[in-house]
Amino acid sequence: MTMTQRRVAAFLTPFFVAVLMTSTLGAQEETPTRPSQPSDGRPTRAQKPPLHGSHWIRITGKPLGAAAGAMIFQSGGNAVDAAAAMLAAVCTMWDTLSCGGETQALIYNPKTRRVIAINALGIAPTGATAEFYKSKGHRFPPAYGPLAAVTPGTPGGLMTMLAEYGTMSLKDVLAPAIQMADGYPIEAQAANSIETNKARIKEWKYSRAIMLPHLGEAREAPEAGEIFRQTDLAATLRKLVEAEQQALAAGKSRKEAIYAAYVRFYKGDIARELVRGVPEEGGLFTMADLASWKVHIEEPSKTTYKGIEVYKLQPWTQGPALLQALNILENVDVKAMGYNSPRYMHALYQVMNLAFADRDFYYGDIYTPPAEPIRGLLSKEYAKSRYAQINWDKNDPTVKPGDPYPFQGEKNPFAQLLAQWKVEAASDSARRSGQQDRAIPQDESDSAFYESFYGGTTSIQAADTSGWVVSVTPSGGWVPAVIAGRTGVGLSQRAQSFVTDASEGPFNVIAPGKQPRVTLTPSLALKDGEPFLSFAVQGGDSQDENGMIFFLHIENLKVTVQQSVEEPNINSYQMRSSFGEHEARPGHMLVASSTPENVRAELRRLGYTLEFQARTSGPINAIFFDRKHGTFWGGSSNHGEDYGIAW
């Protein structure tokens, strides 16, 4: 029996099986929680129990991914080791990502008492110009296929986090994922997604060979519970371990050995197979594209809200939009408006309109000139000027980006484009302003819109007793994905978040070597210099809308973290989608089906077209740090397959 097998056997004791079963049952039965008693009539019960731990906690989008993190903790790893193992595991499970996707993370380092940002987003390859896509008849890069791909970022991000901040070897951290690539019982969500998307998967040679094991049968995808084998991916992961072990045998340090595996992926035989396989499917990658790319360790963006420090990534993500929204909300007493009152919901919608209009215009790759005006965008004075623009009597469907440049002592170089900016509502009949309220989706075109607006993200949250905290929102390479040659690596579809015309967003026009502005956006908050909250949302453009409201629940309503991840939420569709045809639906608001009729009537009077879902909270995964008792509280969404374990 190998060391890894012994660890797995030791982990899967009856006690831990009982823990897993208890968590599963909690998702099915209402379990009482112990929040501060709310005074506004909201329920005091959550559908799932909160997680409690004093040694470690980890939450992610799949049960097996959660188990992988727990295995690493039980083997002595820290939160970074566990996050890396979970990342590799959920990539193997195609949990809205694969190994060719992108990874972005916030890490709290207890040794320095600082938050670090990890930028492992790929770049547009050689030849990926705006003119190229326009010549192919694309207003935006396509949503699927080889021309939707940016270079793989997740392997580099995983290895960089592990090398710089972890404690374990790549061999140990990848062991669960390698076992899964050799074969694991696929769950219904992934299996059914493969079956639904099989027509497109059949277009790509290596994708259909792996993902459709029953070609010619009525169901060509794996069945739920069937052993799903990814031989090529297992071989690729073993090559990374081999590179590490050879470096260790040659006297290299743990860190140097992990980076030897990094080099093999981006400059060695794995890179050569990627570059051979991608053009075979019609893609653009070159060896130079892979070799020149690197992970960036960055300073995060930050603001304060009522004394709490809130951290997001830089504006190559949409993360600073949450910070802008909190800055604007500091100018009003949100709590006094009443939880989910019409005025409260109207305020949140208008604040999001303002913040996301700025996102659509000003955010983009921070390593490609011109520099984004982030200092002005996050200025408290700029937030006051934006707050003054809110119409409290009616939704404003024409909200435009502001001008943050004067708030950092500069002149706007894109003033002419800003003057010409307008909100372009999608034109078909399903998007008419003033249409009847409805549940979603209603028709095929709507289904495609919602799938793109919310799709494409998972979440990894981890913390340990030594103080490490990790918040990750990896994504890219979701089903259906092009698999690159015999690597088993599914390619990202993130190029679709670029635009091809500066009038659509002057900082985000596609160009070779450039990163797209993405929706992926982990969050960390500190209170009195100590971790207070770690959270992330799954769901495309909705992530920072849901994340902001979740944060307000925790801070203003004083409910438990599990209640907060389940509480009704709202979404605005007034910003431009980052996917597909980049549509906007001004005035459309998603609310919970439980919204009372008097609230619905007032929202209609304020100019909103309402859309309904039973659950509107994200889904969200989060960790709350209980400083009074020195423990962790975990919240895992009550829809989807989000799952956590704590000890």
Side-chain angles (χ1 to χ4, degrees):
M1 181 179 287
T2 67
M3 177 66 73
T4 298
Q5 289 170 328
R6 286 195 295 271
R7 286 171 175 165
V8 173
F11 172 76
L12 292 175
T13 62
F15 173 80
F16 277 102
V17 171
V19 172
L20 294 173
M21 291 176 66
T22 301
S23 296
T24 303
L25 290 170
Q28 300 168 348
E29 302 176 358
E30 287 200 354
T31 304
T33 61
R34 298 181 181 272
S36 300
Q37 183 67 31
S39 59
D40 54 7
R42 286 177 298 105
T44 60
R45 295 166 69 89
Q47 292 184 345
K48 292 173 67 174
L51 294 163
H52 290 281
S54 58
H55 292 82
W56 51 259
I57 185 170
R58 19 76 34 257
I59 310 169
T60 190
K62 296 285 184 181
L64 282 177
M71 289 162 63
I72 295 301
F73 274 132
Q74 286 301 103
S75 298
N78 70 7
V80 180
D81 299 318
M86 287 190 281
L87 176 57
V90 295
C91 282
T92 308
M93 299 181 74
W94 296 85
D95 183 20
T96 62
L97 79 161
S98 76
C99 289
E102 44 272 350
T103 286
Q104 34 285 308
L106 292 170
I107 300 173
Y108 177 76
N109 183 340
K111 298 177 181 178
T112 61
R113 299 174 64 84
R114 293 177 58 242
V115 178
I116 306 124
I118 301 294
N119 175 347
L121 172 62
I123 56 173
T126 298
T129 64
E131 293 72 22
F132 170 81
Y133 285 99
K134 290 177 180 178
S135 74
K136 299 287 186 181
H138 299 299
R139 182 181 175 189
F140 305 100
Y144 296 99
L147 295 181
V150 296
T151 56
T154 288
L158 186 157
M159 288 185 275
T160 297
M161 287 192 295
L162 183 63
E164 299 291 337
Y165 308 110
T167 65
M168 299 179 73
S169 69
L170 187 63
K171 178 181 179 180
D172 285 338
V173 164
L174 290 185
I178 291 173
Q179 289 185 13
M180 293 173 69
D182 284 336
Y184 77 96
I186 192 169
E187 82 291 353
Q189 186 182 60
N192 291 339
S193 179
I194 293 170
E195 178 68 13
T196 300
N197 290 281
K198 65 182 180 181
R200 186 171 274 123
I201 290 170
K202 288 179 182 179
E203 297 175 12
W204 309 312
K205 174 182 176 181
Y206 300 100
S207 299
R208 66 175 178 264
I210 292 171
M211 308 197 83
L212 301 175
H214 308 300
L215 276 171
E217 300 178 18
R219 181 185 176 95
E220 297 178 303
E223 296 180 355
E226 180 180 343
I227 299 298
F228 181 49
R229 293 182 172 85
Q230 301 170 81
T231 305
D232 290 342
L233 178 60
T236 294
L237 297 177
R238 285 190 169 95
K239 287 177 182 178
L240 296 177
V241 171
E242 181 182 62
E244 176 199 47
Q245 295 301 302
Q246 288 175 347
L248 288 172
K252 300 294 185 181
S253 67
R254 185 192 73 90
K255 180 176 178 178
E256 290 170 332
I258 294 170
Y259 279 125
Y262 181 113
V263 170
R264 185 170 186 178
F265 188 94
Y266 289 98
K267 297 182 180 181
D269 57 339
I270 299 172
R272 287 191 292 273
E273 179 59 16
L274 280 164
V275 169
R276 185 201 66 78
V278 172
E280 191 174 320
E281 301 286 9
L284 301 172
F285 290 1
T286 68
M287 287 294 290
D289 294 328
L290 297 177
S292 64
W293 178 83
K294 65 178 181 179
V295 177
H296 299 283
I297 300 175
E298 301 171 346
E299 288 292 322
S301 298
K302 181 182 78 169
T303 196
T304 57
Y305 178 79
K306 297 183 179 179
I308 298 172
E309 295 179 352
V310 185
Y311 291 85
K312 302 293 288 186
L313 298 170
Q314 291 286 340
W316 54 272
T317 76
Q318 70 175 26
L322 184 147
L323 306 182
Q324 287 189 245
L326 290 177
N327 283 345
I328 298 170
L329 284 172
E330 273 196 323
N331 294 283
V332 66
D333 187 347
V334 177
K335 188 175 182 180
M337 291 180 176
Y339 168 76
N340 270 359
S341 68
R343 186 171 177 83
Y344 175 86
M345 296 163 83
H346 179 64
L348 298 182
Y349 193 99
Q350 297 308 306
V351 166
M352 291 188 290
N353 286 355
L354 294 164
F356 278 88
D358 284 343
R359 179 207 74 168
D360 291 343
F361 192 82
Y362 290 110
Y363 290 21
D365 182 5
I366 64 173
Y367 297 101
T368 302
E372 290 75 9
I374 190 64
R375 187 159 52 90
L377 288 167
L378 295 182
S379 160
K380 297 287 188 178
E381 292 303 313
Y382 178 65
K384 290 179 181 178
S385 74
R386 294 294 267 166
Y387 174 76
Q389 297 170 19
I390 293 176
N391 183 341
W392 291 101
D393 298 321
K394 203 80 170 174
N395 176 55
D396 181 359
T398 66
V399 167
K400 295 176 60 173
D403 188 353
Y405 281 92
F407 296 88
Q408 58 183 42
E410 299 174 7
K411 185 177 179 180
N412 195 329
F414 299 108
Q416 185 174 354
L417 290 177
L418 181 61
Q420 297 169 356
W421 181 273
K422 60 182 179 180
V423 177
E424 295 183 1
S427 60
D428 65 68
S429 60
R431 295 144 174 77
R432 289 196 304 269
S433 179
Q435 69 182 52
Q436 294 296 311
D437 299 346
R438 61 199 177 88
I440 59 174
Q442 175 174 298
D443 57 32
E444 186 174 345
S445 63
D446 279 358
S447 181
F449 170 80
Y450 290 108
E451 182 180 354
S452 67
F453 191 91
Y454 289 107
T457 316
T458 193
S459 168
I460 293 170
Q461 303 293 309
D464 63 38
T465 191
S466 64
W468 288 95
V469 185
V470 187
S471 181
V472 194
T473 50
S475 189
W478 53 77
V479 175
V482 177
I483 291 178
R486 297 299 303 273
T487 64
V489 172
L491 300 181
S492 170
Q493 300 95 340
R494 196 59 59 174
Q496 67 182 296
S497 293
F498 280 115
V499 299
T500 59
D501 192 308
S503 66
E504 303 273 4
F507 295 86
N508 192 36
V509 179
I510 192 167
K514 188 173 181 178
Q515 294 183 324
R517 193 275 300 150
V518 297
T519 57
L520 306 161
T521 174
S523 307
L524 272 178
L526 307 184
K527 194 171 187 178
D528 301 323
E530 300 287 346
F532 169 67
L533 200 62
S534 177
F535 59 102
V537 184
Q538 303 174 39
D541 287 278
S542 71
Q543 290 174 61
D544 283 303
E545 299 184 299
N546 293 120
M548 177 188 75
I549 298 170
F550 160 81
F551 176 82
L552 293 174
H553 289 160
I554 291 287
E555 177 54 19
N556 292 328
L557 302 178
K558 309 302 182 185
V559 295
T560 67
V561 67
Q562 183 61 41
Q563 280 188 293
S564 191
V565 302
E566 294 185 20
E567 286 287 352
N569 214 304
I570 69 168
N571 282 162
S572 163
Y573 302 122
Q574 191 152 311
M575 84 283 285
R576 299 184 180 192
S577 172
S578 301
F579 305 93
E581 294 303 311
H582 294 228
E583 296 175 329
R585 298 188 179 185
H588 285 241
M589 180 193 289
L590 173 70
V591 300
S593 303
S594 59
T595 303
E597 181 53 43
N598 65 315
V599 175
R600 299 184 186 196
E602 179 61 13
L603 291 172
R604 294 186 200 106
R605 190 193 68 78
L606 289 167
Y608 295 109
T609 296
L610 303 182
E611 302 179 354
F612 299 96
Q613 282 186 339
R615 293 170 176 166
T616 56
S617 65
I620 301 168
N621 289 323
I623 301 170
F624 171 75
F625 297 86
D626 186 341
R627 292 297 167 196
K628 179 179 179 180
H629 303 103
T631 61
F632 309 115
W633 290 62
S636 177
S637 174
N638 63 332
H639 55 108
E641 299 189 346
D642 304 83
Y643 207 89
I645 306 175
W647 180 242

mmCIF file of all heavy atoms in Angstrom, residues 618-637:
data_model
loop_
_atom_site.group_PDB
_atom_site.id
_atom_site.type_symbol
_atom_site.label_atom_id
_atom_site.label_comp_id
_atom_site.label_asym_id
_atom_site.label_seq_id
_atom_site.Cartn_x
_atom_site.Cartn_y
_atom_site.Cartn_z
ATOM 1 N N GLY A 618 -27.053 32.856 -4.985
ATOM 2 C CA GLY A 618 -25.716 32.758 -5.555
ATOM 3 C C GLY A 618 -25.500 31.632 -6.540
ATOM 4 O O GLY A 618 -25.808 31.806 -7.707
ATOM 5 N N PRO A 619 -25.015 30.478 -6.107
ATOM 6 C CA PRO A 619 -24.715 30.031 -4.737
ATOM 7 C C PRO A 619 -23.423 30.624 -4.175
ATOM 8 O O PRO A 619 -22.522 30.994 -4.917
ATOM 9 C CB PRO A 619 -24.579 28.517 -4.883
ATOM 10 C CG PRO A 619 -24.153 28.312 -6.288
ATOM 11 C CD PRO A 619 -24.792 29.401 -7.096
ATOM 12 N N ILE A 620 -23.378 30.676 -2.860
ATOM 13 C CA ILE A 620 -22.278 31.297 -2.122
ATOM 14 C C ILE A 620 -21.662 30.268 -1.179
ATOM 15 O O ILE A 620 -22.373 29.476 -0.560
ATOM 16 C CB ILE A 620 -22.791 32.488 -1.288
ATOM 17 C CG1 ILE A 620 -23.448 33.541 -2.199
ATOM 18 C CG2 ILE A 620 -21.671 33.119 -0.471
ATOM 19 C CD1 ILE A 620 -24.233 34.588 -1.439
ATOM 20 N N ASN A 621 -20.338 30.291 -1.049
ATOM 21 C CA ASN A 621 -19.625 29.541 -0.012
ATOM 22 C C ASN A 621 -18.811 30.531 0.812
ATOM 23 O O ASN A 621 -18.225 31.468 0.252
ATOM 24 C CB ASN A 621 -18.698 28.496 -0.627
ATOM 25 C CG ASN A 621 -19.467 27.343 -1.249
ATOM 26 O OD1 ASN A 621 -20.489 26.922 -0.727
ATOM 27 N ND2 ASN A 621 -18.989 26.840 -2.372
ATOM 28 N N ALA A 622 -18.771 30.320 2.118
ATOM 29 C CA ALA A 622 -18.131 31.330 2.965
ATOM 30 C C ALA A 622 -17.647 30.735 4.278
ATOM 31 O O ALA A 622 -18.165 29.729 4.769
ATOM 32 C CB ALA A 622 -19.111 32.466 3.250
ATOM 33 N N ILE A 623 -16.645 31.417 4.849
ATOM 34 C CA ILE A 623 -16.132 31.096 6.184
ATOM 35 C C ILE A 623 -16.204 32.364 7.025
ATOM 36 O O ILE A 623 -15.727 33.427 6.612
ATOM 37 C CB ILE A 623 -14.681 30.594 6.132
ATOM 38 C CG1 ILE A 623 -14.570 29.335 5.267
ATOM 39 C CG2 ILE A 623 -14.149 30.325 7.541
ATOM 40 C CD1 ILE A 623 -13.131 28.931 4.970
ATOM 41 N N PHE A 624 -16.791 32.255 8.209
ATOM 42 C CA PHE A 624 -16.823 33.340 9.185
ATOM 43 C C PHE A 624 -15.877 32.981 10.323
ATOM 44 O O PHE A 624 -15.897 31.850 10.827
ATOM 45 C CB PHE A 624 -18.238 33.553 9.714
ATOM 46 C CG PHE A 624 -18.310 34.501 10.877
ATOM 47 C CD1 PHE A 624 -18.182 35.870 10.689
ATOM 48 C CD2 PHE A 624 -18.493 34.026 12.176
ATOM 49 C CE1 PHE A 624 -18.237 36.750 11.767
ATOM 50 C CE2 PHE A 624 -18.554 34.892 13.253
ATOM 51 C CZ PHE A 624 -18.431 36.255 13.047
ATOM 52 N N PHE A 625 -15.071 33.938 10.751
ATOM 53 C CA PHE A 625 -14.068 33.698 11.787
ATOM 54 C C PHE A 625 -14.597 34.232 13.118
ATOM 55 O O PHE A 625 -14.745 35.442 13.302
ATOM 56 C CB PHE A 625 -12.746 34.355 11.398
ATOM 57 C CG PHE A 625 -12.168 33.778 10.135
ATOM 58 C CD1 PHE A 625 -12.550 34.270 8.888
ATOM 59 C CD2 PHE A 625 -11.284 32.716 10.182
ATOM 60 C CE1 PHE A 625 -12.046 33.718 7.723
ATOM 61 C CE2 PHE A 625 -10.774 32.155 9.016
ATOM 62 C CZ PHE A 625 -11.163 32.660 7.783
ATOM 63 N N ASP A 626 -14.907 33.321 14.014
ATOM 64 C CA ASP A 626 -15.482 33.646 15.314
ATOM 65 C C ASP A 626 -14.337 33.942 16.280
ATOM 66 O O ASP A 626 -13.774 33.035 16.911
ATOM 67 C CB ASP A 626 -16.329 32.466 15.800
ATOM 68 C CG ASP A 626 -17.077 32.766 17.085
ATOM 69 O OD1 ASP A 626 -16.697 33.709 17.796
ATOM 70 O OD2 ASP A 626 -18.044 32.034 17.380
ATOM 71 N N ARG A 627 -13.984 35.222 16.399
ATOM 72 C CA ARG A 627 -12.840 35.608 17.231
ATOM 73 C C ARG A 627 -13.144 35.434 18.721
ATOM 74 O O ARG A 627 -12.232 35.197 19.521
ATOM 75 C CB ARG A 627 -12.459 37.063 16.931
ATOM 76 C CG ARG A 627 -11.894 37.264 15.536
ATOM 77 C CD ARG A 627 -10.608 36.481 15.365
ATOM 78 N NE ARG A 627 -10.201 36.407 13.958
ATOM 79 C CZ ARG A 627 -9.317 35.555 13.505
ATOM 80 N NH1 ARG A 627 -8.740 34.686 14.321
ATOM 81 N NH2 ARG A 627 -8.986 35.530 12.220
ATOM 82 N N LYS A 628 -14.395 35.535 19.089
ATOM 83 C CA LYS A 628 -14.756 35.378 20.499
ATOM 84 C C LYS A 628 -14.409 33.982 20.998
ATOM 85 O O LYS A 628 -13.909 33.808 22.118
ATOM 86 C CB LYS A 628 -16.246 35.656 20.689
ATOM 87 C CG LYS A 628 -16.719 35.496 22.127
ATOM 88 C CD LYS A 628 -18.203 35.810 22.254
ATOM 89 C CE LYS A 628 -18.673 35.619 23.691
ATOM 90 N NZ LYS A 628 -20.127 35.912 23.842
ATOM 91 N N HIS A 629 -14.676 32.969 20.143
ATOM 92 C CA HIS A 629 -14.476 31.584 20.568
ATOM 93 C C HIS A 629 -13.279 30.915 19.899
ATOM 94 O O HIS A 629 -12.964 29.768 20.219
ATOM 95 C CB HIS A 629 -15.738 30.765 20.273
ATOM 96 C CG HIS A 629 -16.965 31.320 20.916
ATOM 97 N ND1 HIS A 629 -17.919 32.030 20.217
ATOM 98 C CD2 HIS A 629 -17.379 31.291 22.216
ATOM 99 C CE1 HIS A 629 -18.880 32.408 21.053
ATOM 100 N NE2 HIS A 629 -18.581 31.986 22.263
ATOM 101 N N GLY A 630 -12.644 31.598 18.961
ATOM 102 C CA GLY A 630 -11.496 31.015 18.277
ATOM 103 C C GLY A 630 -11.858 29.853 17.375
ATOM 104 O O GLY A 630 -11.089 28.888 17.258
ATOM 105 N N THR A 631 -13.020 29.955 16.715
ATOM 106 C CA THR A 631 -13.492 28.858 15.870
ATOM 107 C C THR A 631 -13.903 29.375 14.492
ATOM 108 O O THR A 631 -13.961 30.583 14.249
ATOM 109 C CB THR A 631 -14.683 28.139 16.523
ATOM 110 O OG1 THR A 631 -15.761 29.076 16.701
ATOM 111 C CG2 THR A 631 -14.288 27.555 17.867
ATOM 112 N N PHE A 632 -14.196 28.427 13.605
ATOM 113 C CA PHE A 632 -14.681 28.737 12.263
ATOM 114 C C PHE A 632 -16.173 28.402 12.156
ATOM 115 O O PHE A 632 -16.626 27.389 12.697
ATOM 116 C CB PHE A 632 -13.954 27.899 11.196
ATOM 117 C CG PHE A 632 -12.462 27.927 11.276
ATOM 118 C CD1 PHE A 632 -11.752 26.771 11.570
ATOM 119 C CD2 PHE A 632 -11.752 29.093 11.036
ATOM 120 C CE1 PHE A 632 -10.374 26.770 11.632
ATOM 121 C CE2 PHE A 632 -10.366 29.110 11.088
ATOM 122 C CZ PHE A 632 -9.675 27.947 11.393
ATOM 123 N N TRP A 633 -16.899 29.233 11.432
ATOM 124 C CA TRP A 633 -18.250 28.918 10.989
ATOM 125 C C TRP A 633 -18.214 28.856 9.467
ATOM 126 O O TRP A 633 -17.712 29.773 8.814
ATOM 127 C CB TRP A 633 -19.245 30.013 11.386
ATOM 128 C CG TRP A 633 -19.555 30.147 12.842
ATOM 129 C CD1 TRP A 633 -18.683 30.459 13.836
ATOM 130 C CD2 TRP A 633 -20.845 30.008 13.447
ATOM 131 N NE1 TRP A 633 -19.339 30.520 15.039
ATOM 132 C CE2 TRP A 633 -20.678 30.260 14.830
ATOM 133 C CE3 TRP A 633 -22.118 29.713 12.967
ATOM 134 C CZ2 TRP A 633 -21.738 30.205 15.730
ATOM 135 C CZ3 TRP A 633 -23.175 29.674 13.868
ATOM 136 C CH2 TRP A 633 -22.988 29.912 15.230
ATOM 137 N N GLY A 634 -18.783 27.797 8.910
ATOM 138 C CA GLY A 634 -18.823 27.668 7.460
ATOM 139 C C GLY A 634 -20.238 27.711 6.938
ATOM 140 O O GLY A 634 -21.165 27.175 7.559
ATOM 141 N N GLY A 635 -20.418 28.357 5.793
ATOM 142 C CA GLY A 635 -21.703 28.378 5.108
ATOM 143 C C GLY A 635 -21.542 27.846 3.704
ATOM 144 O O GLY A 635 -20.635 28.257 2.976
ATOM 145 N N SER A 636 -22.387 26.900 3.331
ATOM 146 C CA SER A 636 -22.333 26.277 2.017
ATOM 147 C C SER A 636 -23.719 26.336 1.400
ATOM 148 O O SER A 636 -24.701 25.929 2.012
ATOM 149 C CB SER A 636 -21.872 24.819 2.148
ATOM 150 O OG SER A 636 -21.871 24.178 0.903
ATOM 151 N N SER A 637 -23.793 26.830 0.192
ATOM 152 C CA SER A 637 -25.067 27.125 -0.452
ATOM 153 C C SER A 637 -26.056 25.964 -0.379
ATOM 154 O O SER A 637 -25.676 24.799 -0.389
ATOM 155 C CB SER A 637 -24.823 27.476 -1.915
ATOM 156 O OG SER A 637 -26.033 27.627 -2.599
#
